[in-house]
Amino acid sequence: MIYAEQVQDLMNLDTDGVAVVPDYVQRPQLSFLQQEILERGNIAWRDAHEKYTNARGLNIVQNHLSYALRTTAGDQSVFTRLPRLRDMTIHITNDVQGLAELSPTLADWRPDEVVLHDYDDPEIGLSRHRDHSCYTGIIAILAVYGTCDFVSHHPKTQQATTREINSGDLVLLRAPGLINTDEEVRPDHAVQNLKTMHRLSATWRQDRQTGQQPLAHTWYDNWRSQTNE
């Protein structure tokens, strides 16, 4: 469960826009989810190792495999072999919606995508970046397995904060729409310094552009927009 006091800082523009819920998922539930993701044949991993320069001029380094699914469109039968991931999607949705006392917009929060990452570089899993502005409210990232440093940068001051994230922790990022403001609310963040050989994460996001052209560098295993068909 996510308690309002754990994420109150997300509503404060003087903070970096990151909140951590320690041990959000505990054993044995976490072990079951790990086994499901790692079971041979369940995940058609895509090699997302890449280097490119984004629209802001930042050099992006990705050292991970990726697997993305639409949760509200496309072929939903994929979740018959991933029931733990489906149940976690429902659980996180309910918990984030339960934070509507902080921001009424969260009452309608429903992630329409879940993205799995398998990081494998000990120094840089994913370099400094921020999520696209099409994602709204809150972005939820579950550490399924492994330990790393999660480095965030304050949207205004650019001050860096490093948090150690362990298996079972839930990281919440502030996204547009959570606060009624014209200021930039999204924190830059990076995955660095893996303390384990691999790190698995699952990210849930609500995309207000659902049904349109997928974002660059994103490929959904169970869905393609009409513009791509």
Side-chain angles (χ1 to χ4, degrees):
M1 187 172 182
I2 306 172
Y3 296 98
E5 56 267 26
Q6 293 176 300
V7 298
Q8 182 69 49
D9 281 350
L10 294 181
M11 305 301 298
N12 184 352
L13 289 174
D14 290 331
T15 70
D16 64 353
V18 178
V20 179
V21 182
D23 297 320
Y24 177 74
V25 181
Q26 300 181 359
R27 299 183 184 278
Q29 289 81 7
L30 188 61
S31 295
F32 291 147
L33 181 60
Q34 293 168 352
Q35 292 168 12
E36 179 175 277
I37 292 173
L38 294 173
E39 184 173 337
R40 184 180 298 274
N42 273 355
I43 303 295
W45 292 105
R46 296 183 183 275
D47 188 348
H49 292 75
E50 187 177 8
K51 296 180 180 179
Y52 63 94
T53 301
N54 70 5
R56 291 195 292 151
L58 291 178
N59 295 320
I60 305 299
V61 178
Q62 297 181 174
N63 288 316
H64 60 73
L65 304 177
S66 181
Y67 180 73
L69 295 172
R70 284 293 195 188
T71 61
T72 59
D75 180 10
Q76 296 299 292
S77 67
V78 65
F79 287 101
T80 60
R81 71 172 187 270
L82 298 168
R84 305 282 182 180
L85 186 61
R86 177 200 60 210
D87 292 348
M88 189 58 62
T89 299
I90 296 171
H91 185 69
I92 286 179
T93 300
N94 290 338
D95 276 358
V96 172
Q97 289 179 353
L99 298 173
E101 63 183 273
L102 293 179
S103 176
T105 60
L106 295 179
D108 298 321
W109 188 83
R110 186 184 181 193
D112 43 37
E113 69 175 42
V114 56
V115 182
L116 304 180
H117 286 151
D118 181 0
Y119 299 97
D120 55 22
D121 186 272
E123 295 183 2
I124 300 176
L126 179 55
S127 63
R128 178 177 174 173
H129 69 287
R130 69 184 178 208
D131 287 41
H132 196 280
S133 60
C134 69
Y135 298 118
T136 184
I138 276 179
I139 295 168
I141 308 169
L142 176 66
V144 178
Y145 172 79
T147 299
C148 73
D149 286 341
F150 189 91
V151 183
S152 60
H153 296 263
H154 192 289
K156 290 189 292 186
T157 68
Q158 302 306 312
Q159 180 177 346
T161 300
T162 300
R163 299 171 172 89
E164 184 175 274
I165 304 299
N166 299 292
S167 301
D169 292 349
L170 183 69
V171 179
L172 301 175
L173 305 182
R174 187 170 54 212
L178 183 68
I179 302 174
N180 184 17
T181 179
D182 293 329
E183 294 186 35
E184 177 58 72
V185 300
R186 295 169 293 160
D188 280 29
H189 53 282
V191 175
Q192 301 178 354
N193 302 326
L194 271 64
K195 276 75 169 179
T196 47
M197 291 292 292
H198 286 259
R199 179 190 185 245
L200 290 174
S201 70
T203 300
W204 288 267
R205 298 180 287 208
Q206 178 174 269
D207 182 358
R208 52 189 168 195
Q209 296 185 152
T210 297
Q212 300 181 25
Q213 184 81 6
L215 298 178
H217 310 282
T218 302
W219 182 277
Y220 300 97
D221 195 71
N222 66 334
W223 176 86
R224 298 181 71 189
S225 71
Q226 292 181 351
T227 56
N228 272 0
E229 293 178 343

